[in-house]
Amino acid sequence: MSPARRSLRLFVRSPGAMIGLVIVLAVALGAIFAPWAAPYDPIRFNPVDRLQGPSFAHLLGTDLYGRDTFSRVMHGGRISLSVATLSVLFALTIGAFFGALAGFLGGVVDTVVMRATDILLAFPAVLLAIALLAFLGGGFWNLTLAIAIAFTAPFARVARASVLQLRGVMFVEASTALGATPTRLLWRHVLPNALAPLIVEITLRLAYAILAEAALSFLGLGTPPPAPAWGQMIADGRPLLEQAPWASIGPGLAIMIAVLGFNLLGDGLRDALDPRLR
């Protein structure tokens, strides 16, 4: 059996991985189809229905302005998942590129890249994002960029470690002896074989990015209102915890479920792709 088929078989047989995959797909589909599946307009005020409890008409109740919490949670998923996905893709592109170069070339390049990652890793990710947003200002794209910069260093570390392991293996040395250029070695032989740990890191960083986006939105540094964001919804419902706790419980549960799904998926991918754990 080929390694790819063996990894797929292990992944499918993992209950945690399957549960995580189902959760991630459900959250993603709910966010994608929110404009058509959400029962109410997420930003239209309806004072007549303000602070209603959960019911068949409003599954998660309504907020202070009469907006349906369930509809806002679905639309908030679009913002949270979009920010998380774009920021992780940007961090992966930049971090993996420089990390691979550092591990493959070594010397001065390795020293410079690793010292830069040390500087980034010296700050907690959310604190670094807050500092960047204080300079850039809030908003969707600035929030995405701030989280991406904060997550670039971990991807660089993972890519460098993978390339260092592969640089001295037999097939790389054979390609070098046959006259392969360093660029060809890196893109055709080293990076494709270093993807497994990066794939696992992507799923785990997506969970961290969702938490970071929620924390920054809670502090008022995310997408400006009235656009629904999970962190902003929790902040808006905080003064109403005794009177209408569902205004914060709904988005809080959405964050918890989404993060749990990505963590379970990441654990399953790690177990399936890492030969040492088979």
Side-chain angles (χ1 to χ4, degrees):
M1 184 182 295
S2 66
R5 292 186 62 184
R6 187 181 299 113
S7 297
L8 179 60
R9 186 177 181 182
L10 288 172
F11 178 77
V12 172
R13 287 187 173 184
S14 172
M18 289 294 97
I19 293 173
L21 180 62
V22 169
I23 292 175
V24 169
L25 288 176
V27 172
L29 291 175
I32 292 171
F33 294 103
W36 302 277
Y40 297 94
D41 188 333
I43 62 175
R44 188 171 69 87
F45 290 1
N46 190 9
V48 176
D49 293 334
R50 62 191 300 270
L51 298 182
Q52 288 190 8
S55 63
F56 287 109
H58 302 281
L59 295 179
L60 295 177
T62 61
D63 64 5
L64 184 62
Y65 304 103
R67 298 172 296 190
D68 181 64
T69 303
F70 180 72
S71 299
R72 288 179 61 78
V73 166
M74 291 186 68
H75 282 267
R78 295 172 65 86
I79 295 176
S80 294
L81 292 182
S82 296
V83 170
T85 302
L86 291 174
S87 61
V88 168
L89 287 177
F90 180 82
L92 170 67
T93 303
I94 302 301
F97 175 75
F98 284 103
L101 282 182
F104 190 76
L105 297 178
V108 177
V109 176
D110 186 26
T111 301
V112 171
V113 172
M114 288 301 101
R115 296 298 76 78
T117 59
D118 288 341
I119 293 173
L120 291 176
L121 291 172
F123 300 93
V126 174
L127 183 60
L128 178 59
I130 290 174
L132 291 171
L133 288 172
F135 175 75
L136 298 172
F140 178 89
W141 290 110
N142 288 342
L143 177 62
T144 301
L145 179 61
I147 296 175
I149 293 174
F151 286 170
T152 299
F155 280 111
R157 288 283 187 178
V158 172
R160 175 181 179 269
S162 299
V163 171
L164 284 175
Q165 286 182 338
L166 293 167
R167 193 173 60 177
V169 298
M170 188 175 297
F171 70 88
V172 174
E173 293 181 350
S175 299
T176 304
L178 291 173
T181 62
T183 302
R184 182 179 177 83
L185 282 174
L186 181 62
W187 292 105
R188 292 293 300 275
H189 300 287
V190 176
L191 282 182
N193 290 281
L195 287 179
L198 287 173
I199 292 173
V200 176
E201 186 71 14
I202 288 171
T203 58
L204 297 177
R205 287 294 155 186
L206 282 170
Y208 295 148
I210 291 173
L211 288 173
E213 188 277 336
L216 295 169
S217 295
F218 181 85
L219 296 174
L221 298 174
T223 305
W230 289 342
Q232 182 63 48
M233 292 175 64
I234 295 176
D236 292 341
R238 186 177 57 172
L240 306 171
L241 282 176
E242 294 185 359
Q243 182 182 1
W246 52 84
S248 292
I249 290 176
L253 285 174
I255 295 171
M256 182 194 73
I257 291 171
V259 171
L260 175 64
F262 280 111
N263 280 331
L264 290 175
L265 181 61
D267 288 342
L269 286 172
R270 181 198 60 194
D271 295 342
L273 295 175
D274 192 343
R276 294 171 299 179
L277 299 176
R278 293 173 185 167

